[in-house]
Amino acid sequence: MKASLSLLDNAQANLARALTLLGREIPADWATKLRTPKERTELRLSPQLRDGRIHTFRAYIVKHNDALGPCKGGIRMSPTVTLDDVTALAMEMTWKCALIGVPFGGGKAGIVADPAQLTADDKQILIRSFTRTAHRHIHPLVYVPAPDMGTNETDMGYIKDAISYSLGYATTQGSYVTGKPVILGGIPGRREATGRGVALAVVEVLRRHGHNLAGAQIIVQGFGNVGSVAARALVDAGGVVVGVSDAHTAFYDARGLPLDDLLRHAAQHGSLKGCRAAPPIAHARLLEKPCDVLVPAATGNQITGANAPRIKARLIAEGANGPTTPEADRILQRRGVEVIPDILCNAGGVFVSYLEYTQETQAEQMTEQEVIYRLEQRMRDRCALVYETARERRWSPRDAAMYCAVKNVWRALQARGALP
Ligand code: NAD
C-alpha cells in the first residue's frame, strides 16, 4: 500500500464514485473511455538560458477528453509536477468545463521548473521554448492553455507572441491561449476571475443556507492569484480574513489581518516572505485554526485524513485543484463540514477564459462589468444546479457536482457516437 495518495489516485477515486452514482447509466466500456486520458505527452525543452548554457527541462501536456470541445487547462510550472499530476489536473478540467457549461474538454500542461529560481529573462526563454516545442499541441481547436500555479498573464502573452511570430502574422487568428494581458487580446477580469468566483460561490452557498458573510472569519491558504483575489473579494463581501499563508510564511490573528498591507507586500515582493505586518504562525497549524470559511488556494492534498479531524472551519471552499483527499472528504462529511468542490468553486477562471476565447474568435471587446456580470450569473446558476441535485438526492455537493459533470461528458460522447 502506498504511503500517500497522489493527485491522480484522488481524481480516479472521485471519478469512480461518480460512476457508481451514475450506476447503470454508463456501461463499463464507456466508463473506461471516460477514465483514460486521450493523449499524454512528455516533452524535452532545452533552451539556452542567459548564463550561455543549455538547460534541459521536462514538460508534459495531457489531453484527457475532448468530447465537449478543445482541451482547456492551465500550465503548471513547479519543480515537483509529474505527468500523473498533469493527468489528474487534465481530468479535473474535463469535469469542470462540463459542469460550468463551456464547450471545452479537459487538458493541462506542466513544466518541471521552479519559477522562484528563474530570473524574469530566463522564465521568458523557458516559456518560449515550451511554446516552440509544444506548438503542434496548442491550437484553438486542440488545446488552449492558460495560467496555473507558477505561470501568469505575462507568460501567456509570450505564448501568443511566440505562436504569431512563428506563423508570420501580427496576431493569431482565434484564441490559442487565454489569460493573456488585455492589451494582447486578453479579457478584463480574467486574472481575478477564479478568486472572484470562489467568493461568489461562498456567498451563494451561505445564502442558500440562510446565512451571509458579515463578520465571518476566513482563512486562506495560498496567497497567489487565486488566494489573494479570493481574500480581497471575501473581505469586500463582509468577511474578516484571520489567517493567510503562502509557501514561505503563515499569519494568523483572530482579530483580523491587515489585508491591504499583505496584498501590498505580496505585490511588491512577489510573495509574503519578509512581511512583518501580522503575527506569524506555523504553516501546519493554520488550517486547523478556528474559522467559519477555509479557502485552500495553494496546491493539492492539503486536507488529508491526518488533519481533517482537527479542521474547525464550517465551510471549505476549494480554490485550489484537489486540495482535499477522498479520505479527508469522508471525515469532513461525517463531521458536518461542508465542502464546495473544486470543479464548481474555482471554475470562474475557466468560465472567463471561455469569454476571452469567444471574444478573440469574434474580434470583439468585452468590458470588465460585462465579464463580472456574466461570471456572477454563471456561478449562481451552477451553484443552484449542484446544490439542488445534492438536496434532491441527499448527496454531498462534490458527488452532485461530479454526477452532473460526468453525465454531461457522457452525453457528448454518446452524441458523437462510437465509430470507427
Ligand atoms: P499561484 O502560483 O499564483 O499561487 C500559488 C500560491 O500558493 C503562492 O502564494 C504559493 O506561495 C502558495 N503555496 C504553494 N505551496 C504552499 C503551501 N504548501 N502552503 C501554503 N501556500 C503555498 O497559483 P494560482 O494560480 O493562485 O493557483 C493556486 C491553486 O488554484 C492551484 O491549485 C491551481 O491549480 C488552482 N486554480 C488556479 C486557477 C487560475 O485561474 N489561476 C484556476 C483554477 C484553479
Side-chain angles (χ1 to χ4, degrees):
M1 173 137 165
K2 276 198 267 177
S4 64
L5 288 174
S6 68
L7 278 182
L8 186 54
D9 291 329
N10 296 348
Q12 291 287 8
N14 285 338
L15 174 60
R17 216 180 132 70
L19 290 171
T20 313
L21 298 173
L22 280 150
R24 292 211 198 94
E25 287 181 55
I26 302 186
D29 49 345
W30 288 86
T32 305
K33 185 166 178 171
L34 281 168
R35 205 176 287 124
T36 316
K38 188 172 177 187
E39 197 177 342
R40 303 204 315 164
T41 306
E42 179 172 334
L43 306 166
R44 188 207 59 220
L45 318 179
S46 40
Q48 186 175 29
L49 298 186
R50 284 282 188 248
D51 63 4
R53 291 175 40 222
I54 301 290
H55 293 251
T56 303
F57 299 89
R58 251 171 309 159
Y60 310 111
I61 294 185
V62 176
K63 298 168 199 140
H64 171 254
N65 189 301
D66 59 3
L68 279 164
C71 296
K72 191 83 191 77
I75 304 171
R76 181 165 292 196
M77 187 184 288
S78 149
T80 57
V81 67
T82 65
L83 180 56
D84 277 356
D85 290 347
V86 177
T87 306
L89 293 163
M91 198 168 181
E92 295 291 331
M93 285 306 296
T94 301
W95 316 136
K96 193 182 299 182
C97 294
L99 180 68
I100 204 71
V102 293
F104 288 139
K108 204 85 183 182
I111 303 175
V112 188
D114 185 353
Q117 300 300 322
L118 293 168
T119 63
D121 272 359
D122 282 346
K123 191 177 185 209
Q124 178 177 175
I125 294 169
L126 180 55
I127 288 286
R128 287 180 185 276
S129 171
F130 168 78
T131 311
R132 199 169 62 172
T133 313
H135 194 165
R136 67 190 184 282
H137 297 274
I138 301 174
H139 187 276
L141 303 177
V142 179
Y143 165 58
V144 184
D148 189 65
M149 260 181 80
T151 59
N152 54 33
E153 71 180 26
T154 306
D155 302 322
M156 302 307 118
Y158 298 146
I159 292 176
K160 175 163 179 168
D161 179 64
I163 291 175
S164 55
Y165 177 83
S166 70
L167 294 173
Y169 302 136
T171 185
T172 51
Q173 206 166 21
S175 188
Y176 281 71
V177 57
T178 61
K180 302 176 291 293
V182 173
I183 194 89
L184 291 183
I187 194 162
R190 168 60 186 91
R191 199 181 62 75
E192 296 84 1
T194 306
R196 274 187 188 143
V198 169
L200 286 166
V202 169
V203 169
E204 181 58 18
V205 168
L206 290 178
R207 190 192 64 76
R208 297 184 78 83
H209 294 321
H211 301 299
N212 63 44
L213 253 186
Q217 296 205 318
I218 294 153
I219 291 178
V220 181
Q221 183 201 37
F223 208 62
N225 176 341
V226 179
S228 65
V229 174
R232 172 83 275 157
L234 287 163
V235 166
D236 290 348
V240 180
V241 170
V242 294
V244 299
S245 66
D246 71 0
H248 309 279
T249 184
F251 300 111
Y252 178 81
D253 187 341
R255 294 164 301 175
L257 293 173
L259 186 62
D260 289 337
D261 295 342
L262 299 175
L263 289 167
R264 202 172 307 116
H265 186 98
Q268 274 167 9
H269 303 277
S271 77
L272 292 174
K273 199 173 176 179
C275 182
R276 305 261 174 274
I281 181 177
H283 260 106
R285 291 184 49 217
L286 184 70
L287 298 185
E288 301 168 14
K289 295 300 283 180
C291 66
D292 298 298
V293 183
L294 173 62
V295 183
T299 183
N301 287 350
Q302 296 300 299
I303 303 172
T304 64
N307 61 8
R310 295 192 297 276
I311 299 275
K312 307 209 177 39
R314 291 185 299 177
L315 179 66
I316 296 179
E318 293 188 329
N321 286 315
T324 312
T325 66
E327 186 191 1
D329 237 356
R330 287 190 291 275
I331 296 170
L332 294 169
Q333 211 173 335
R334 267 203 310 275
R335 295 185 51 231
V337 180
E338 186 167 329
V339 180
I340 311 178
D342 49 4
I343 61 168
L344 172 66
C345 192
N346 69 35
V350 77
F351 177 67
V352 174
S353 272
Y354 170 65
L355 298 183
E356 180 175 337
Y357 182 90
T358 55
Q359 172 185 266
E360 209 171 11
T361 308
Q362 295 164 19
E364 269 188 23
Q365 283 184 334
M366 269 184 228
T367 65
E368 186 159 8
Q369 267 54 46
E370 286 171 294
V371 170
I372 291 174
Y373 175 76
R374 291 184 65 171
L375 176 65
E376 280 172 2
Q377 300 298 311
R378 188 60 65 102
M379 289 304 294
R380 262 192 217 120
D381 180 65
R382 295 301 136 148
C383 282
L385 172 73
V386 168
Y387 277 77
E388 285 305 310
T389 307
R391 192 179 56 79
E392 277 164 21
R393 298 187 179 242
R394 298 174 177 273
W395 288 344
S396 69
R398 186 178 323 274
D399 283 351
M402 281 296 286
Y403 173 86
C404 296
V406 175
K407 197 168 176 171
N408 271 350
V409 179
W410 156 236
R411 284 176 47 225
L413 281 175
Q414 268 183 314
R416 281 174 180 263
L419 295 177

